[in-house]
Amino acid sequence: MTFFKRSCRRRAVFKKKAQITVWMSLCFLVFLALYLICLESVRKQSARRRAEQEVENGLFSLFSEYEPHLLEEYGLFYLDTSFRTGTERTDELCSHLWSFMEENTVGLTGKPIENVRLMGINVDELVRATDGDGAVFYRQAVRAMKQRVGAAAVEDWILQAGAREEQAEASRVYQEDYDSYRGAVVDYEDEEDELEGEAFRWDGLADGFVFSMAVPGGAVVSDRSVSLTGAPSRRTLSRGAGAALGDEDGIIQKQWFISYLCEYMKNAPDLLPKGRPEGYLDYQMEYILCGHGSDRANLEQVILELLLLREGVNYAFLLTHAEYQDQAELLAYALAGLTGNEGLVQAVKHLILLGWAYGESLTEVRQLLQGYELALVKGDESWQVPLWGLLGMIGDPGRYDIQKNRQSGLDYEAYLRMLLTLLPARTLAMRSLDVIEGELQLLDGGEKLHVDHCVESLNAQVWMDGIYLERTYGYE
């Protein structure tokens, strides 16, 4: 028997069991859980970022509804929380914010995007224009002027304000001498017949001043008056979260604010030539300075203050000018020399100098109201009223209205700036808000506007699905 060997081997088959250890199972579960946690975190962070973006967009849209009259007339950004109704409505404020946000959080299908669904909105900590006795408005006005005017202008303003101290000191000397010598002729009893009659005209010459003497010929003086009972500076205001910072009375800050007033408020020389058909008060800068509810009363007080400032400057000049003193002394001897009373003669001389300074000042105030400038330092070339023409000028104040030698120096607005610098910042701010509210309530659409309903910033709280956001937003 023959055996044949197989030419190929049978392949061996080995069986293996598939198995996983407990350790591997636990690791897999841990990694899976970590992956799911990371995925959920990414989803939540994405939703939160979307929510933050929608809150910012909503607040931006809300504050884009700024009060247009305030911006157009006074360059101020505020949100009217009464929405022209005259009554503050925080619910309407929340409703507007909700509407703006909902437009962005709902997709084309009408469903919330990425589960960002609005649940609630609240607003608080409203910062109002009147907060801090007008400090909030004060600071925004300062910011507005810094953007408009170069910083170099501040130096000129400060120099003008500094000149006021020198003039105030001269005015004090004038007033003291006037009080000291007034009545010297009237009270003189010995040998009264030896006094010339004209001497009595020099005694208390400035006491005969009346308002009409300082108003240029042809000027239309406003007779407007308003009740200040309901003005922001007098009424009880809605309170907000704003406050004064404490630096409002700083000289530079105050000069910026006064510059804002000069930019946006009217004064007497602007309107004396022809007046205006309607308005709250015509002489707004004068009201801010004096605070009376009558244009005439405000202008009269400003004129008296300007007269006193200029009388001091002019009197100081006369006391240092030998030729003018000689003229006054010569006239004094002519009027009182026969009495043989040297003390009376010297008293009459000073009365003449005081009256002369008053007459020059009266001419200068009339010129200021016509738009002329006055030299800061008095000199021969800038002196306008001669002694021989003084008494005639008192009867005809317009005799020297036109400057023969054109002067360069301070105009009416510059003098107002000097006087306004003396007021506290809170007074400046609140009286300015009186004017702003009064003027805007005369415009179409602004009849019910109240400045204490005008908000510069607020704090918003927003609730969404599992998300809470709080943001402070406002005009910068």
Side-chain angles (χ1 to χ4, degrees), residues 222-239:
S222 169
D223 59 357
R224 280 199 176 88
S225 61
V226 297
S227 172
L228 298 176
T229 304
S233 62
R234 306 288 181 91
R235 71 170 185 258
T236 301
L237 302 169
S238 299
R239 293 186 176 274

Side-chain angles (χ1 to χ4, degrees), residues 48 51-52 55-56 59 97 101 120-125 458-464 467-473:
R48 187 175 184 83
E52 290 175 347
V55 170
E56 292 290 329
L59 288 169
L97 182 56
M101 290 185 59
I121 289 177
N122 182 54
V123 295
D124 59 13
E125 297 185 12
L458 54 79
N459 183 267
Q461 299 97 43
V462 180
W463 290 267
M464 298 183 184
I467 299 174
Y468 170 74
L469 295 171
E470 185 172 350
R471 293 288 184 272
T472 297
Y473 200 91

Side-chain angles (χ1 to χ4, degrees), residues 44 61 129 142 206 222 299-301 312 344 364 376 391 411 414:
K44 287 185 176 181
S61 299
V142 169
S222 169
L299 181 57
E300 184 168 3
Q301 182 174 330
L344 179 62
E364 290 177 330
L376 190 58
L391 293 179
D411 60 5

